Amino acid sequence: AGSRYEIPLEEIADAALLEELPAISRIAGTAMDTVDKGRYRAEGYGNVTACLNPQEGPWLLVVTADGRQYLLSATDSAETAAVWQALR
């Protein structure tokens, strides 16, 4: 089973679908071949909470009203795209 992040819709200020994953470096958390989870620094975005598969995009960048940023992916690319469509 994977991790699950729930961000209430009313807290989402912006969301973007990223076709290319920015360079990320781990601050604290897990980094494996198919899972990056925890606090990361993302080039061009600053600090983010990540829960993603770095090998399979696209990825979602979600920014909350208080400025927190999340870099996420679902279990596969089709599910990530479906979440993006629901947020649009």
Side-chain angles (χ1 to χ4, degrees):
S3 292
R4 181 182 182 118
Y5 283 88
E6 291 187 19
I7 305 167
L9 281 176
E10 63 271 10
E11 291 183 18
I12 296 175
D14 197 14
L17 188 68
L18 306 179
E19 294 296 331
E20 291 188 25
L21 185 63
I24 61 174
S25 58
R26 182 168 39 117
I27 297 169
T30 301
M32 296 182 282
D33 286 346
T34 59
V35 178
D36 287 338
K37 182 173 72 171
R39 297 287 302 148
Y40 282 74
R41 185 165 292 109
E43 186 174 304
Y45 299 98
N47 291 343
V48 300
T49 297
C51 187
L52 57 89
N53 177 345
Q55 296 182 355
E56 185 175 348
W59 300 272
L60 288 172
L61 176 70
V62 176
V63 182
T64 59
D66 63 4
R68 287 176 293 152
Q69 299 185 104
Y70 296 84
L71 196 51
L72 309 166
S73 65
T75 54
D76 60 42
S77 59
E79 188 175 348
T80 301
V83 171
W84 164 243
Q85 288 298 324
L87 289 175
R88 293 182 70 194

